Structures are given as structure tokens and as C-alpha cells.
Amino acid sequence: MADKSPMHSFRWLKSVCLILALAPVFTLLSRADTSLVYFGTYTDTGSKGIYVSRLDTSTGKLTTPELAAATTDPSYLALTPDHRFLFAANEVPKVAGYVTGFKLDAETGKLDPLNQEPSGGLSPCHLITDPRGKFLITANYSSGNVEVVPIQTNGFLSAPVCVIQHHGSGINKARQEGPHAHCVAMDAQGRVYVCDLGMDKVMIYHLDPNSGQLTTNETPWAEVKPGSGPRHIVFHQDGKFAYVVNEMGGTVTAFAYDASSGKLTEIQTASTLPDDFHGNNTSAEIAIHPSGKFLYASNRGNDSIAVFAIDEATGLLTRVQIQPVAGKVPRGFAIDPTGQFLVEANQNSDNIVVYRINPEDGKLTATGQTFAMGKPVCVMFVPAE
């Protein structure tokens, strides 16, 4: 017979109250194990804009992507440091591009559109926000220039305040007939580094934190091997090295980085391709593992991700793996904030794939998770709140 004594009822009520009191804690613990994952796409073959998933970092399970916001050709995404606002480079073909701002709902992952501003040129392909979230800086590929747009406190974009036009060309007349700004990045001192594929240079500027004006650094640029086509640059967490993935060369150039002057000095160029590969290839994305121990670069053509170990003392790279991807043309990828998983986007096979990262050697193993998405080209993590 069940115990129906008053003392039993009291104990039962006390247990219920304890469970209810701890419920918010359980929710927080659960959400602490998840990250929002946003995907930028080209929208000419069925995709509608920016998509969002959640990655459970305790299991590696990625939820089915859902539309977060409808917008045209959001080929690259950027986030303010406080995670309140997200911005997209709208790389619309044959006409002047633009950038779009969104308010991010951390609970649902949905994006509420704010406003748009012109990108200052043709084919905006990359953008970042500055460390204070005051400015949006965009690289325009086809016109070879860089624009700075102020971000208001409510996330709305103001009219552009600065446009820097590059001038120059490279040895490959088909691809380097003129400047092609392909990436913007910032160091901890407030300098802006712009990879220009057409000039085989990484241009270096100072960003005025109040006006948003860009001025040329005392050391104005760093060069890569002619015909390499620098695409993206990343800085190592230790503040001593930087790495550039070269689209046309199928290589990564390692630089010693001088924080006091901003100067980049080449120390190594390493191939991202198998030694016996002789086909057409263009390298694309680059990322450093949160531990600082490993570097990753994607190959379009070989359809793989190259994994390198980073020597802590010298910054030199040793290739440890070339992981074939489960798709075609892996244009973009990102590593989750915990460093356990890599999510990559295959533009020409219309799919997203999840890989587990070995913490000991950095190598990738496919988890078997693949999701359909029309022309995904950018992946960005946002820690869930």
C-alpha cells in the first residue's frame, strides 16, 4: 500500500520544489553545450538566404538547418563582438553589391533585418566588424577596393565613411588583370590586413577607431609568391605568426608577425595538396584551431581539407592529413568554439558536412552527418546564450 502519511506528502512536495528550482540550472547547462551555426549561401539555385542550426558539442549532433533570414547571395557573414548583430556581404552578380544588417535572436537563432548600405564596389566577398563593434569593413572582389561603414548602437548601418581603392595586377593575366580584394582581418593593435588576390599582396592599414578612416601602415604590404593569389589571412593566438591561404597557388604562406610595426615576414610556404595531385584546384578557407596547435585549409578541385600541425616555437607548418570531403567544392568551413568539431560547406554538391577533430593530432574524421543546402559557402559559429 502506498505511503500517504503527511510526512511522505511533505517529502514529495519538497522534491518537486527542488526540481522546479533547479530547472533553470539544467537549462543553462544544456544550452552551454550548444552553439548556433549560421550558413551563408548563393541564392540562384533554390537557397533563400542565411540558414541556422544548433550544434550540440557534447554529442556532435547538428540540427537540420532552418532559414534564419531571407536575403540575396549572402556569401560571407560577420558578427559584432557582443553577438547582438550579424552582417552579410550580399555578393549579387553584375551589379554593385551591398551589406545587410540583422538583429540576432539568441533564443531562436532567427535574424530580424535592419537595413542595407552599398558595399562600395562590385562583388563584396568578405567582411568583419572591428573589436568595439563600431565599424563594418568589407572587401569588394571585382572592383578591388575596401569600404568602412559605421554601425550604430542599435545595429543599423550608417552611410560609408571610407573607401580605399587598390591599384595593381599580377602575372596571371586571366585572374590577376587588376586588384581583387578578397579578405579583411584585424590584429590586436587595430591594423587592417587586406588580402588582394590580383596583386599578390596583403595590404596593411590603420583604422582610426573614432572616424573609421583607413590610412596606410608604415610597412604598407607583404607579398606572396607571384601568381599565388592570396585569399584569406588568420592570426595565431600567440601574437607571433600569421597565415595566408593562397587560392591560385594551393598553398599556405606562414609569416612571422611583428606586433609593434605590423610587418609580416615570410618564413614558409606549404602546399595544401597531395604530392601526386596535378589537376585544377583553388584553395579557399583557412582557420586555426582554438588550441593554437593546428591549422586547416580547404581545397576546391582536390575537394579536401588539409590539416597542419603548428610548431609552437617557430610557427612552421607540418602537414599531417589531407581529408577528402563528402562533397564538391568545399568553399567555407568553421571550427566550433570548443575545438571538437569542424563544419564545412560544399558549394557545388549543395551540402553541409560535420567532422570530429582529434585533440591530439588535429586530424578530421567524418561523423556521418550531412545536410542538404543550396550552394552553401560560409559557416560561422555563435556561442548560444
Side-chain angles (χ1 to χ4, degrees):
M1 180 179 295
D3 184 357
K4 296 183 179 180
S5 67
M7 182 57 69
H8 171 79
S9 298
F10 174 77
R11 288 197 299 267
W12 177 84
L13 181 61
K14 186 177 180 180
S15 298
V16 171
C17 292
L18 181 61
I19 291 171
L20 291 174
L22 289 175
V25 177
F26 292 146
T27 301
L28 287 174
L29 289 173
S30 175
R31 293 187 63 79
D33 290 333
T34 67
S35 287
L36 294 170
V37 193
Y38 287 93
F39 303 97
T41 67
Y42 286 124
T43 55
D44 57 333
T45 58
S47 171
K48 296 181 179 179
I50 303 170
Y51 290 78
V52 64
S53 298
R54 287 187 186 274
L55 177 70
D56 185 333
T57 55
S58 65
T59 64
K61 182 175 176 56
L62 187 73
T63 63
T64 301
E66 299 178 353
L67 184 66
T71 187
T72 304
D73 292 334
S75 66
Y76 209 83
L77 309 175
L79 191 69
T80 52
D82 60 8
H83 303 166
R84 294 176 59 206
F85 306 110
L86 181 148
F87 301 94
N90 297 94
E91 193 178 348
V92 292
K94 299 181 181 179
V95 297
Y98 53 92
V99 290
T100 305
F102 301 88
K103 184 177 181 181
L104 190 155
D105 187 326
E107 289 295 325
T108 66
K110 296 297 183 181
L111 301 172
D112 294 324
L114 297 174
N115 72 327
Q116 296 176 343
E117 285 290 337
S119 69
L122 300 174
S123 308
C125 59
H126 196 277
L127 75 175
I128 60 168
T129 63
D130 76 307
R132 296 192 298 169
K134 287 188 61 177
F135 297 104
L136 183 70
I137 311 170
T138 304
N140 294 291
Y141 177 82
S142 293
S143 52
N145 57 8
V146 183
E147 179 187 73
V148 182
V149 175
I151 304 170
Q152 301 176 36
T153 56
N154 60 3
F156 279 77
L157 297 171
S158 299
V161 294
C162 179
V163 176
I164 298 291
Q165 179 63 53
H166 290 176
H167 300 278
S169 59
I171 63 172
N172 187 322
K173 300 307 178 184
R175 295 287 316 274
Q176 297 179 307
E177 78 295 344
H180 293 302
H182 214 315
C183 164
V184 284
M186 289 191 72
D187 66 7
Q189 283 66 42
R191 299 185 193 92
V192 175
Y193 292 73
V194 183
C195 288
D196 195 301
L197 179 147
M199 298 163 58
D200 282 325
K201 292 180 178 179
V202 180
M203 308 301 292
I204 310 173
Y205 303 99
H206 283 279
L207 174 71
D208 186 298
N210 297 313
S211 70
Q213 296 298 309
L214 294 174
T215 55
T216 302
N217 189 57
E218 182 179 351
T219 302
W221 64 71
E223 297 187 42
V224 297
K225 181 181 177 180
S228 295
R231 180 181 172 97
H232 286 184
I233 181 172
V234 290
F235 287 87
H236 196 276
Q237 296 92 320
D238 67 6
K240 297 189 295 184
F241 306 105
Y243 301 88
V244 171
V245 63
N246 299 301
E247 175 173 326
M248 297 159 58
T251 57
V252 173
T253 301
F255 292 93
Y257 161 66
D258 184 340
S260 62
S261 67
K263 183 179 180 180
L264 298 176
T265 303
E266 181 180 347
I267 56 176
Q268 180 191 22
T269 295
S271 174
T272 63
L273 295 164
D275 296 338
D276 58 354
F277 180 80
H278 300 290
N280 295 321
N281 183 80
T282 54
S283 298
E285 189 59 276
I286 187 171
I288 296 176
H289 191 270
S291 69
K293 296 180 179 180
F294 314 112
L295 182 143
Y296 301 81
S298 63
N299 292 304
R300 301 172 296 179
N302 182 243
D303 292 332
S304 63
I305 295 178
V307 184
F308 297 88
I310 302 175
D311 186 287
E312 181 181 359
T314 65
L316 297 177
L317 303 174
T318 300
R319 200 174 68 206
V320 297
Q321 183 190 31
I322 295 180
Q323 170 66 41
V325 299
K328 296 293 183 182
V329 185
R331 177 170 170 138
F333 66 82
I335 299 168
D336 90 88
T338 71
Q340 298 180 83
F341 300 97
L342 183 149
V343 179
E344 61 101 1
N346 295 305
Q347 179 179 344
N348 284 16
S349 53
D350 301 322
N351 66 324
I352 299 292
V353 184
V354 183
Y355 300 84
R356 183 178 291 275
I357 300 174
N358 185 316
E360 299 301 320
D361 57 18
K363 291 183 179 180
L364 302 175
T365 303
T367 65
Q369 296 181 84
T370 301
F371 299 87
M373 183 180 298
K375 285 192 176 180
V377 291
C378 176
V379 185
M380 186 182 71
F381 278 93
V382 182
E385 299 178 0

